[in-house]
Amino acid sequence: DENRSSADAFNWLGDGFVIGNHYYVHSLYMAKEGVLGFEQKGEDLVRFDILDNKVDLDSRVTIKDENSNKLCYVAKDGSLSVIFGSAVFENTKEAKALNPDGYIYNFGYRDEKNASYFRGLVLSRVKAEDVEDFSKYEYLSETGWQDDITKTKPLIDRVSCEMSVTEINDEESEYYGKFLLTYEKDTIGDEICVAYADSLGEEFKDSTVVYSAIDTKKIEGTSHYNA
């Protein structure tokens, strides 16, 4: 969008990850508008060099996704939004994944008017060496991996905008080799939940509340957001 400007918008950081000697972080472009005073209009990927095991903030390079809509898609009529960068899983040897395939898996969420789900978890992937080439990104749909971000399918619903996906590598755990999703149900709510998937790309099941916050019931005017 040629109208991007720091005067009428700001950047909100999503999840980050490391490839080689580079640290990447998703940078959500938030316009200062809408009911809450901010509304996502785009997203970029920001790269930093890692020097002496520290992130060199002066080395910042922005890989812009202004025109391809591969990290974020927001329909002009508000009927659909698909936003990635919420949780990244590096399925690589360098990250010591149990079954590395060389892909960076990027989890996000899908909001759709009149859908049977609410805030569905969606998934994209790209080979680690191609992470800066948005044309190489793939999206999981009902028919498998394809290149259309709008065809993403929910793997579980009622997730939050910020969350995490972790591979369970404790050999003594009954969940060894499975993937753990941790999120706040409905983004703004009282329940912190976990759910499990047998492998990357599978649906997350057995959603379980692991913590119920009571602050909102005891303190007037409070809420939880992406806890």
Side-chain angles (χ1 to χ4, degrees):
D1 185 345
E2 61 184 10
N3 295 318
R4 287 192 186 187
S5 164
S6 60
D8 57 14
F10 59 92
N11 292 96
W12 189 317
L13 299 184
D15 201 8
F17 56 98
V18 172
I19 298 178
N21 293 319
H22 291 122
Y23 171 68
Y24 293 90
V25 62
H26 292 92
S27 180
L28 286 55
Y29 181 78
M30 313 295 288
K32 298 176 183 177
E33 58 185 59
V35 176
L36 298 175
F38 61 88
E39 189 171 331
Q40 184 160 348
K41 294 294 185 179
E43 186 171 343
D44 298 317
L45 189 63
V46 178
R47 184 188 73 214
F48 297 93
D49 295 335
I50 299 175
L51 301 176
D52 299 324
N53 292 320
K54 294 182 180 180
V55 176
D56 178 12
L57 298 179
D58 293 330
S59 66
R60 182 180 64 187
V61 174
T62 300
I63 302 99
K64 293 189 175 182
D65 186 31
E66 294 182 281
N67 301 313
S68 59
N69 293 321
K70 290 295 187 176
L71 296 176
C72 162
Y73 173 84
V74 179
K76 291 183 178 180
D77 63 1
S79 61
L80 173 67
S81 63
V82 184
I83 297 171
F84 284 98
S86 296
V88 176
F89 184 82
E90 303 156 62
N91 201 37
T92 62
K93 292 181 180 178
E94 292 75 15
K96 298 182 180 180
L98 293 178
N99 297 290
D101 58 9
Y103 279 96
I104 303 297
Y105 287 83
N106 191 337
F107 290 86
Y109 58 95
R110 178 185 178 107
D111 288 324
E112 186 175 5
K113 280 189 175 181
N114 303 320
S116 59
Y117 62 89
F118 173 74
R119 187 145 289 169
L121 179 74
V122 291
L123 179 60
S124 70
R125 72 178 185 182
V126 64
K127 284 287 187 178
E129 61 268 24
D130 295 326
V131 73
E132 296 183 23
D133 185 352
F134 297 134
S135 68
K136 299 289 182 63
Y137 281 49
E138 299 178 312
Y139 307 90
L140 187 61
S141 69
E142 293 290 351
T143 57
W145 295 101
Q146 45 81 49
D147 62 2
D148 188 345
I149 191 173
T150 67
K151 294 181 180 178
T152 45
K153 71 169 184 177
L155 299 175
I156 193 172
D157 72 343
R158 303 184 70 181
V159 298
S160 43
C161 306
E162 297 168 10
M163 48 191 153
S164 66
V165 174
T166 308
E167 185 177 45
I168 300 177
N169 57 13
D170 179 359
E171 294 184 3
E172 296 182 1
S173 170
E174 64 179 298
Y175 297 101
Y176 177 72
K178 294 181 182 292
F179 292 84
L180 171 72
L181 169 70
T182 308
Y183 64 100
E184 178 172 359
K185 187 180 290 185
D186 299 331
T187 302
I188 300 177
D190 299 333
E191 297 179 337
I192 309 300
C193 301
V194 297
Y196 299 91
D198 291 331
S199 62
L200 292 165
E202 296 291 326
E203 291 185 359
F204 283 85
K205 300 178 180 179
D206 300 327
S207 180
T208 303
V209 177
V210 293
Y211 181 76
S212 295
I214 61 173
D215 308 54
T216 54
K217 298 178 177 65
K218 298 181 69 174
I219 306 173
E220 186 177 353
T222 63
S223 63
H224 293 122
Y225 174 56
N226 280 328

